[in-house]
Structure formats: C-alpha cells, structure tokens
Amino acid sequence: MTYGQTLRLIWLDKGMTQKEVYSGVVSRTFYGRFEKGEQQMTAEKFAALLANIGIDFNEFSYIHQNYQQPTNQSLRQQIDTYYAKQDFAHLLALYNKNKARADQQTRFLASYAYALTYGWQNNGLQLDSAPIQPLVQYLRQLKHWTIADLEIFAMGILGMTEDWSTLTACYTEAQQTYCRYRNYSRWYDVALPFSSILSSYTQLILDSNHHGHELASLRQTAVEMLAKPHSAQATAIRLTLKMTIALIDMYIGDRNSATNQLKAISNTATMLELPNAALIATLYRYRAAQSQLVNP
C-alpha cells in the first residue's frame, strides 16, 4: 500500500472530504494523482497534509504498517528489555543475529546492543570495541546532527571510552544539537535522547580520570533542563536528569543527601514500573559504594 492509499483510508475513516485534506497544500489534481501513487510529494507538503488530517508522522507510520510497530522499533524494545534485566548474553545474541543485516538502522541497533554490553561490563569481558565503530564513523562524518543522530549517539556512547577525544567531540555536538532544537515543538523528542546522553556521559566521567570542572558543567546542564516546563509524558526525562544531578553530587556535593535522593529516584522508578527500574536500582547500589571509596 502506498502512502497516498493509507492517507485516503485515514481521512475516509475520519469522515472528512478529500478537499479538507489537500486544501491549502496542493491542487485537487495533484492530490488525486498522489493518492493513486502516480505523483511524488515533498516532505513539507506531506507534513501539511497530515496536519490537515490531525495526526503526526509517527501515528501515520504505525497505521501504514497495518497497526504494527516497525521491525527496528521492535528490535529496540527487545534490546532495552534485556538491558534493563542485565541479560548480556541475549544482548550479544541480538548483536550477532543483526550485525550483518542489509539496512543501516538495524546494523546500528546491533551495535547498540553490543555497546550496552561493552559499557555496562566496564569491558570486564575484554570485548573488542570494533563493532561499535560504525556508529562512531557515521557520527564523525556528519556536519550537523538531527534528533535521529542524537539517538544513535545515545546508543553508542557507552562503548566509546577508548578514544576520549572522539567521545568529547561527540558529546559537544550532542549538546549543540540539543541547543538548536531547544524551541522545537516536540521538545520531548530531543530531550529524551539528550538526557540519556547526559546521564551516560556523566557516568563515564565518574569512572575515568577526567573529573575536574566538567562535572559542574554537566550538573548545570541537567538543572537547566529540569527548569523547563514538562508534560506528564516527560517523567522518564525528569527522573534521568534528577539521577544525573544526584550522581554528580555523590562525588562533589553532599554525599548523604545525594545518596538518599538517588535511592528515592530508584524507588519511584520501581513504583512506576519503568522499564529501567532494575537498572536504576543496580546503579544506585554501585554508585553508593563507589562514592564512599572516592570521597570517604
């Protein structure tokens, strides 16, 4: 089924007229040819058609896929589920199964599964970082990042510790990308991957010898993001940002207060049954022990 055919099914189901769909965007003839698959359309015009109907592209894609999640999204959900359970054997199995797939995004997700194992194990398994390099090479050749590129960096960041100059350059670009999208109407879409990047980068800094003034800067970024208005759907973002602040404070602030805050965050994640609740609980225990060693 073409996009035009799916669009027709949607507006018919909504009880709209064809004119209500194309009005102010394209001519009747142009739109008729598009519905029949005889005419291409720019992204801008297609977005305007969706606005006339009252849905966004994500919902349109879901309907177009016969109300099924795209394969890549299902794979991402599998990876996140295994990671939350710290099931690294299955993560490596997903990597091996998908690393040679034809489409780039699936290969990136395979590298993501590998990077999570590499990063969380602190490379205790002596894993090779080569499988993560496709993500790194892709990001380094870009002039400017999009939200999708932020998500790719969020996937690979835990496996980029062997080259701190590249890691730092990528974090700087991620921060600049977030700033460019600061006034984006769907702020949640950019804040979600960037808050994850901020948290991961903070943890990598804490595990390295690269402390210093950078922690204060990372903390300030998290505080500024928390100050923005948040919708109900932004619970995960707020918890991630609060967790990042507490992690930093455990090392350079009031350790006892920060430890209690991180424990409260872990309890909240468990109460809300967030997918990463078990992971946050493990992180809390690990950081509480580490901070005592670093800051007795």
Side-chain angles (χ1 to χ4, degrees):
M1 182 178 291
T2 67
Y3 274 16
Q5 290 170 328
T6 300
L7 210 58
R8 179 178 177 80
L9 289 177
I10 295 172
W11 66 257
L12 284 173
D13 284 344
K14 282 177 167 283
M16 299 176 67
T17 66
Q18 189 182 66
K19 185 176 182 179
E20 288 176 311
V21 178
Y22 69 74
S23 181
V25 183
V26 294
S27 68
R28 176 185 177 184
T29 302
F30 186 101
Y31 181 75
R33 289 176 57 82
F34 173 71
E35 277 198 353
K36 295 175 182 177
E38 300 172 353
Q39 179 70 55
Q40 297 296 315
M41 185 177 296
T42 65
E44 291 80 5
K45 289 181 178 178
F46 187 70
L49 294 179
L50 293 181
N52 282 351
I53 293 177
I55 65 173
D56 63 18
F57 185 74
N58 288 333
E59 183 178 2
F60 173 83
S61 297
Y62 181 70
I63 296 172
H64 185 67
Q65 296 281 345
N66 195 27
Y67 297 93
Q68 299 293 322
Q69 294 282 17
T71 302
N72 284 338
Q73 193 164 339
S74 297
L75 177 58
R76 175 63 186 265
Q77 289 173 345
Q78 288 182 60
I79 292 172
D80 289 342
T81 298
Y82 287 139
Y83 184 49
K85 295 177 179 179
Q86 300 172 50
D87 188 342
F88 300 109
H90 275 100
L91 284 175
L92 288 176
L94 286 178
Y95 162 71
N96 288 318
K97 180 180 179 180
N98 295 284
K99 63 182 180 181
R101 292 297 176 93
D103 66 292
Q104 184 184 61
Q105 188 61 27
T106 300
R107 295 197 304 273
F108 281 173
L109 284 171
S111 294
Y112 169 49
Y114 189 94
L116 291 176
T117 305
Y118 182 97
W120 184 257
Q121 294 281 356
N122 199 22
N123 207 17
L125 299 178
Q126 296 300 306
L127 298 173
D128 184 1
S129 65
I132 305 168
Q133 292 310 303
L135 297 179
V136 178
Q137 292 166 3
Y138 167 79
L139 293 171
R140 289 307 304 269
Q141 56 90 31
L142 297 175
K143 186 175 181 180
H144 293 296
W145 289 9
T146 63
I147 295 175
D149 301 321
L150 275 181
E151 293 172 345
I152 289 171
F153 181 45
M155 290 191 290
I157 184 173
L158 291 177
M160 295 174 63
T161 54
E162 291 189 2
D163 185 349
W164 273 92
S165 62
T166 295
L167 175 62
T168 302
C170 283
Y171 175 75
T172 299
E173 179 58 36
Q175 191 171 33
Q176 291 173 351
T177 302
Y178 170 74
C179 289
R180 286 196 298 272
Y181 282 86
R182 186 170 292 171
N183 297 317
Y184 182 52
S185 60
R186 295 175 62 91
W187 179 82
Y188 174 89
D189 290 345
V190 64
L192 185 61
F194 184 68
S195 63
S196 175
I197 290 167
L198 183 62
S199 175
S200 296
Y201 188 64
T202 296
Q203 293 178 61
L204 293 176
I205 292 290
L206 292 175
D207 285 333
S208 73
N209 295 318
H210 299 72
H211 286 205
H213 69 282
E214 195 161 10
L215 287 175
S217 176
L218 294 172
R219 189 185 191 283
Q220 183 60 32
T221 299
V223 169
E224 290 174 358
M225 290 182 70
L226 266 178
K228 289 185 69 70
H230 288 269
S231 63
Q233 68 180 157
T235 301
I237 294 175
R238 293 186 63 84
L239 283 178
T240 299
L241 293 172
K242 288 181 178 180
M243 181 179 71
T244 301
I245 294 170
L247 286 172
I248 294 173
D249 287 349
M250 289 174 75
Y251 287 77
I252 65 172
D254 185 335
R255 187 179 67 197
N256 290 333
S257 175
T259 301
N260 291 335
Q261 175 70 2
L262 191 57
K263 183 177 181 180
I265 292 169
S266 175
N267 291 339
T268 299
T270 300
M271 180 181 67
L272 296 177
E273 299 182 344
L274 296 181
N276 59 346
L279 197 61
I280 292 176
T282 301
L283 183 63
Y284 156 67
R285 292 191 295 270
Y286 171 72
R287 290 299 174 189
Q290 285 295 108
S291 67
Q292 291 177 3
L293 294 175
V294 174
N295 192 18

